């Protein structure tokens, strides 16, 4: 449970950094980032595995790069659920945000594990 809460906080930090980097990503304060990270973690636990299985052939053909599209879809689903608290303007921005969030999570989790 403690590890999951830490993951949500790190994900919220990554969402804040993405919102600072891209003008097309809008977060409504700390509460919006934490709620977006919470919803995103639930979607990553439930919806993402289903999408990964359904898109497995195209993921294999693209050598795994299609997973960024799956991550972008989960970001857009988070946007649809939260409405004005978390917004992403466009699919291409969602793909770029998914790439940056993946890299930031990799870096932040490496600091936490040490």
């Amino acid at each position: 449970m403690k590890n999951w809460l830490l993951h949500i906080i790190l994900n919220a930090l990554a969402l804040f950094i993405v919102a600072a980097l891209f003008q097309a990503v809008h977060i409504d304060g700390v509460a919006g980032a934490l709620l977006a990270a919470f919803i995103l973690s639930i979607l990553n636990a439930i919806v993402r595995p289903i999408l990964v299985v359904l898109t497995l052939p195209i993921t294999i053909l693209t050598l795994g790069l299609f997973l960024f599209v799956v991550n972008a879809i989960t970001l857009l689903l988070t946007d649809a659920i939260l409405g004005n608290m978390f917004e992403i303007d466009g699919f291409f921005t969602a793909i770029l945000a998914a790439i940056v969030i993946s890299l930031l999570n990799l870096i932040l989790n490496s600091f936490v594990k040490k």
Side-chain angles (χ1 to χ4, degrees), residues 66 74 87:
F66 195 76
T74 57
E87 294 182 22

Side-chain angles (χ1 to χ4, degrees), residues 12 15-16 27-39 82 85-86:
L15 288 173
F16 260 127
I27 296 178
D28 190 27
V30 175
L34 287 172
L35 190 58
F38 176 73
I39 297 295
L82 289 180
M85 291 184 83
F86 176 72

Side-chain angles (χ1 to χ4, degrees), residues 33-76:
L34 287 172
L35 190 58
F38 176 73
I39 297 295
L40 190 60
S41 69
I42 290 173
L43 289 175
N44 280 336
I46 297 171
V47 176
R48 188 174 184 273
I50 295 169
L51 289 174
V52 168
V53 169
L54 290 176
T55 62
L56 192 59
I58 194 165
T59 302
I60 292 171
L61 284 175
T62 61
L63 302 175
L65 291 177
F66 195 76
L67 290 176
F68 290 123
V69 174
V70 172
N71 289 342
I73 291 170
T74 57
L75 280 173
L76 290 173

